[in-house]
Amino acid sequence: MKLLFVCTIPLVALIFGSSDILAQQKKAKPNVILIYTDDLGYGDLSCYGATKLQTPNIDRLAGRGLRFTRAYTTSATCTPSRYALMTGQYPWRKSGTGVLPGDAALIVPTDKTSLPKVFRQAGYRTGMVGKWHLGLGTAVAKNWNGEIKPGPNEVGFDYSFIFPATADRVPTVFVENHQVVALDPADPIEVNYKEKIGDEPTGKEHPQLLKMKASPNHGHDQTIVNGIGRIGYMKGGKTARWTDEEMPLTFLSKAEEFISAATSEPFFLFYSLTEPHVPRMPSTMFKGKSGLGFRGDAILQIDWAVGEILKALENSGKAANTLIIFSSDNGPVLDDGYEDGAVTQLNGHRPAGVLRGGKYSILEAGTRVPFIVYHPKLVKPGISDALVSQVDLLSSFANFLGVPLPPGDAQDSQNQWAVLNGRSAKGRVSLVLQGASYALVQDNWKYIAPSKGPAVYQLTNIESGHSEQPQLYDLSVDPGERVNLAERYPDKVKELAAALKAVTAGLQ
Ligand code: NG6
Ligand code: CA
């Protein structure tokens, strides 16, 4: 069949002209949108069992698409998970891939394969809108007022509209391609993570100026922007600073523009939402809507944005050939720096669902995340219990699009295309997780390597999973990791510890 296809192309090309054929071939490739949320938990969506809030648009994706129950990010925080997504490499193989400050240099290599480059090589137009958090420029010291590079464009995106780090870190500005948006050259930006610069009030010195209180000891009490204390100090760039309440609309309109600009070429859009990461400051239309505080409101805001993207696809006639992946970069946290009602108005909502732990944790809730794949034709709908990791997206799309990977690149990324499209239920044999410690999931077993540290993180009140004893759980009957079976199955512990060691040899 394949041979026949290959042989017929030149003949048809002779008749219709080869550029038409190429256009035809290009057209058949699906557009791909990766919707990536920030700190959304396994139990935060109604299609994953939440009852205290409803997410009808995401539920619609899940209902018509493939909903995974055992999909993981590589890490329990943002930067490393995103590094793995972009490179196809476990982040702990490279030092300096932990949560980055807002002035960090780019950590993704520009001379290697990346997820957007795979699409680009297959003839796609690639775009990124939203949270970046993988560093910009070649050094911490950089001129925010000139051309800021390398960044997402050098990693493989033809177009980018981002904010540099997290919404709680300075500089609180958007960067479009290489330039800060709406910057007044007469009011240049300076950023400092070591000491206060400029004479603007900080959250620490002037807490009465804050519209949302910073939680004690978290450190979100430095430069105040839009009434919210941030991590880090900045001065200047007054006209360029964002208004948090507008953020979802800004990102959505940039995503919509990117979608509607696509004509003959297929596109890949990395739509990287900031919700429900702190500071949660939803738009007025969502404030108070969930009854669960601003965190719940932010989740409703995500659902709305997903609905708007679906509408944009329908309206532009692109819905029939667009594949959508929806997921999160790490697990949930309630108090991550601000008193925003997430704790006091939780109202019985369970952000982690049945899982134990949360963001930062090596327990399941740190890295097991919602993961939905939808395409009206290519993806067989249903529920998949296959083991998959986000690090696999790179190889899976490379395989699907026929893009060869240079040897040595994307070394941890496995081709799981048949699993992602629902044709196979057999996912990975094993994967490595990074949080408070390291863990190996193999079949239904999870082994957590012994580590030292607090059992519960004091600031966030999250169980870390630290234990000086090995931990072994049977996730098929105990996804909540309640019963440590390590003493009962010492041989299994040995086997999995050795397997983890083999993968992580040379760990940094
Ligand atoms: C932590 C911050 C937290 C959040 C996180 C990054 C403190 C005490 N807490 O260090 O508020 O910004 O980093 O989150 O500084 S992530 O989702 O981008 O990984
Ligand atoms: Ca995150």
Side-chain angles (χ1 to χ4, degrees):
M1 193 59 205
K2 206 169 175 190
L3 187 68
L4 182 71
F5 177 71
V6 172
C7 292
T8 53
I9 293 283
L11 183 67
V12 185
L14 273 179
I15 301 167
F16 295 105
S18 58
S19 61
D20 286 355
I21 294 297
L22 285 179
Q24 240 351 80
Q25 278 181 323
K26 268 189 179 176
K27 219 174 167 185
K29 288 177 184 163
N31 306 308
V32 176
I33 304 180
L34 171 57
I35 306 177
Y36 206 53
T37 57
D38 195 0
D39 299 0
L40 187 74
Y42 190 71
D44 270 328
L45 304 171
S46 37
C47 53
Y48 276 87
T51 54
K52 301 285 178 177
L53 47 72
Q54 295 300 313
T55 49
N57 293 305
I58 303 167
D59 291 4
R60 191 147 51 99
L61 270 189
R64 296 182 189 171
L66 187 58
R67 183 174 73 81
F68 286 79
T69 63
R70 296 185 71 201
Y72 292 85
T73 69
T74 59
S75 314
T77 50
C78 167
T79 301
S81 294
R82 287 160 197 260
Y83 178 87
L85 190 67
M86 287 297 123
T87 63
Q89 188 193 45
Y90 281 134
W92 37 261
R93 293 199 191 278
K94 187 176 153 146
S95 61
T97 53
V99 174
L100 292 178
D103 58 355
L106 177 69
I107 58 166
V108 183
T110 53
D111 58 350
K112 291 212 159 110
T113 304
S114 70
L115 183 63
K117 281 185 200 165
V118 163
F119 284 101
R120 199 189 251 181
Q121 221 176 309
Y124 281 60
R125 181 167 154 72
T126 55
M128 137 117 232
V129 173
K131 170 175 174 165
W132 176 237
H133 211 185
L134 289 167
L136 293 171
T138 52
V140 168
K142 64 184 127 275
N143 178 10
W144 290 96
N145 309 288
E147 256 207 332
I148 307 164
K149 61 200 257 190
N153 298 60
E154 287 63 41
V155 166
F157 291 104
D158 298 318
Y159 172 77
S160 67
F161 186 100
I162 60 159
F163 68 60
T166 56
D168 56 358
R169 281 173 175 72
V170 300
T172 53
V173 295
F174 299 117
V175 179
E176 188 168 30
N177 298 318
H178 301 114
Q179 307 276 348
V180 170
V181 176
L183 180 66
D184 174 1
D187 182 28
I189 295 175
E190 267 181 62
V191 172
N192 198 310
Y193 272 78
K194 293 211 174 87
E195 57 193 25
K196 187 181 167 185
I197 45 168
D199 50 13
E200 285 180 58
T202 64
K204 193 170 184 179
E205 296 158 354
H206 297 281
Q208 78 284 359
L209 297 178
L210 298 172
K211 63 181 174 194
M212 184 164 59
K213 260 183 146 176
S215 307
N217 306 320
H218 282 246
H220 296 67
D221 58 2
Q222 297 172 351
T223 302
I224 299 174
V225 178
N226 188 30
I228 299 170
R230 315 281 166 165
I231 304 176
Y233 301 97
M234 76 179 285
K235 68 182 234 192
K238 287 268 168 59
T239 52
R241 295 183 187 187
W242 70 55
T243 304
D244 301 74
E245 290 87 335
E246 284 175 6
M247 185 103 64
L249 297 152
T250 308
F251 283 155
L252 177 67
S253 71
K254 291 292 159 188
E256 286 174 340
E257 275 169 28
F258 181 80
I259 292 171
S260 63
T263 48
S264 59
E265 299 168 294
F267 69 81
F268 167 60
L269 172 64
F270 180 27
Y271 184 35
S272 171
L273 300 174
T274 175
E275 301 100 322
H277 193 283
V278 297
R280 300 157 189 139
M281 189 47 66
S283 290
T284 309
M285 61 177 168
F286 291 103
K287 272 193 186 128
K289 206 174 167 191
S290 68
L292 305 181
F294 284 174
R295 185 173 186 279
D297 300 344
I299 295 172
L300 298 190
Q301 197 167 272
I302 294 174
D303 188 65
W304 164 82
V306 170
E308 293 303 300
I309 291 289
L310 296 177
K311 271 189 223 161
L313 290 171
E314 288 291 343
N315 295 342
S316 61
K318 296 180 172 109
N321 197 22
T322 299
L323 186 141
I324 300 175
I325 299 175
F326 178 94
S327 197
S328 173
D329 66 345
N330 55 253
V333 53
L334 295 177
D335 183 354
D336 210 15
Y338 301 91
E339 293 183 5
D340 60 8
V343 175
T344 53
Q345 296 177 59
L346 189 59
N347 190 27
H349 173 60
R350 298 169 74 194
V354 297
L355 306 180
R356 192 174 151 200
K359 182 176 180 177
Y360 310 110
S361 175
I362 192 59
L363 296 164
E364 283 292 277
T367 48
R368 202 199 284 205
V369 285
F371 191 86
I372 299 163
V373 185
Y374 168 74
H375 182 284
K377 291 187 282 289
L378 281 173
V379 178
K380 213 170 141 197
I383 296 173
S384 175
D385 300 324
L387 191 61
V388 285
S389 168
Q390 291 173 1
V391 77
D392 298 330
L393 289 180
L394 194 156
S395 283
S396 302
F397 279 109
N399 182 275
F400 169 55
L401 298 168
V403 173
L405 297 178
D409 278 16
Q411 69 188 105
D412 299 305
S413 186
Q414 296 181 359
N415 169 26
Q416 296 290 345
W417 175 243
V419 173
L420 297 180
N421 68 30
R423 293 325 189 263
S424 166
K426 204 172 158 357
R428 274 178 165 261
V429 172
S430 66
L431 50 77
V432 175
L433 302 172
Q434 177 191 33
S437 175
Y438 289 87
L440 183 96
V441 176
Q442 186 169 298
D443 304 319
N444 289 322
W445 292 107
K446 177 169 174 187
Y447 163 75
I448 303 178
S451 61
K452 284 195 174 131
V456 176
Y457 288 124
Q458 216 194 326
L459 284 180
T460 53
N461 194 25
I462 287 174
E463 279 191 285
S464 64
H466 277 305
S467 166
E468 291 185 34
Q469 302 306 317
Q471 295 172 73
L472 180 73
Y473 299 103
D474 180 350
L475 297 176
S476 65
V477 291
D478 183 23
E481 296 165 294
R482 299 286 156 201
V483 185
N484 183 2
L485 299 170
E487 278 185 21
R488 207 154 123 203
Y489 298 105
D491 290 348
K492 198 39 114 184
V493 168
K494 250 194 213 153
E495 179 201 328
L496 297 183
L500 176 62
K501 215 165 176 191
V503 188
T504 57
L507 186 86
Q508 315 221 11

